[in-house]
Amino acid sequence: DPFVANPVPKHPPLDSSMFVTVIKPVNGVFVLNQWQGPSLTEDIKGTFAADVFSFILGQPNSRFQKMLVDSGLVDGVGLGYSTLVHTGPITLQARTDQARYERAVAAIENEISHFADPDYFTDEQMEYAKNQLEIGEIRGQEQTSEFAHTVSYWWTTGGLDYYLAYIDNLRAVNRKDITDYVRRYIIGQPSVTGILAAQEDAEALGLAGGM
């Protein structure tokens, strides 16, 4: 193990939020927001809560989708988490346009502020998320090519013990675990926000002067 003699330095936490605009000839305005999420060395429990919560938000019947997509403020939105040894990122992505941008961003921020509300998702939605994540894992194990990639990924990140106990730990996630996760890593926490827009859209929104 090369990291015994040369351990990977701990990535410092963000001390403040940052914002960057990227100017490219694209149609629409794209929003990407990232937070520093749980790592496999410091908060294993949080990684399971992150997976369940991300799945809940991705469902068409979630409040997150209804308030943002069904309302017409964005064309698409999602929040995901990447399980990694050193600070797994939490990523929110959304697509809107110049006319809807300000209302869309305000709505996204409002939804984030309610993530820890006791009624933000139902028990049924939480159990459905667990069931579907488990089904996805089982299906993946039935395809040799996919299973080989899955095993190699976990072998080099969380370890095989993490992977072999994944379903059981996923099943153990409760509402408090998810609430603790969103409060610790998302709500009110520093993040990096990137906006991808065409020059004319960025100028109209007062976002010009980025990369």
Side-chain angles (χ1 to χ4, degrees), residues 135-166:
I135 290 171
E137 286 297 322
I138 294 172
R139 286 179 175 172
Q141 293 172 11
E142 294 176 348
Q143 301 176 27
T144 306
S145 58
E146 183 176 340
F147 188 45
H149 288 292
T150 299
V151 171
S152 62
Y153 175 81
W154 289 117
W155 197 352
T156 57
T157 52
L160 291 182
D161 288 342
Y162 178 93
Y163 176 66
L164 293 173
Y166 181 76

Side-chain angles (χ1 to χ4, degrees), residues 11-87:
H11 195 287
L14 292 173
D15 55 13
S16 62
S17 292
M18 292 178 278
F19 187 94
V20 62
T21 302
V22 178
I23 305 298
K24 295 290 181 180
V26 296
N27 293 321
V29 179
F30 298 82
V31 180
L32 188 146
N33 201 338
Q34 285 195 317
W35 296 262
Q36 291 176 318
S39 75
L40 284 166
T41 56
E42 297 185 359
D43 185 14
I44 291 179
K45 192 173 184 178
T47 67
F48 301 109
D51 286 349
V52 174
F53 186 64
S54 295
F55 192 95
I56 291 172
L57 295 194
Q59 298 311 295
N61 67 342
S62 69
R63 166 177 161 167
F64 189 66
Q65 296 292 325
K66 289 179 178 179
M67 297 300 289
L68 299 175
V69 178
D70 292 359
S71 67
L73 291 174
V74 302
D75 300 321
V77 66
L79 184 141
Y81 164 73
S82 297
T83 309
L84 296 173
V85 176
H86 307 286
T87 312

Side-chain angles (χ1 to χ4, degrees), residues 25 32-33 51 53 58 64 66 78 89-90 102-103 108 117 119 139 170 186 191 196 203:
L32 188 146
N33 201 338
D51 286 349
F53 186 64
F64 189 66
K66 289 179 178 179
I90 301 166
E102 293 183 353
R103 289 179 294 137
I108 290 171
D117 289 359
D119 60 349
R139 286 179 175 172
L170 202 68
I186 303 176
S191 64
L196 174 64
E203 290 177 353

Side-chain angles (χ1 to χ4, degrees), residues 81-144:
Y81 164 73
S82 297
T83 309
L84 296 173
V85 176
H86 307 286
T87 312
I90 301 166
T91 304
L92 185 151
Q93 300 183 70
R95 182 186 186 280
T96 185
D97 57 26
Q98 180 195 133
R100 297 174 291 168
Y101 171 78
E102 293 183 353
R103 289 179 294 137
V105 169
I108 290 171
E109 292 176 349
N110 182 63
E111 288 307 299
I112 292 172
S113 72
H114 288 287
F115 278 175
D117 289 359
D119 60 349
Y120 196 77
F121 58 87
T122 66
D123 291 340
E124 290 75 17
Q125 288 174 318
M126 181 171 64
E127 292 307 312
Y128 178 77
K130 295 179 189 179
N131 287 335
Q132 293 304 305
L133 286 168
E134 180 176 357
I135 290 171
E137 286 297 322
I138 294 172
R139 286 179 175 172
Q141 293 172 11
E142 294 176 348
Q143 301 176 27
T144 306

Side-chain angles (χ1 to χ4, degrees), residues 21 23 199 201-210:
T21 302
I23 305 298
Q199 184 70 44
D201 288 334
E203 290 177 353
L205 295 169
L207 303 173

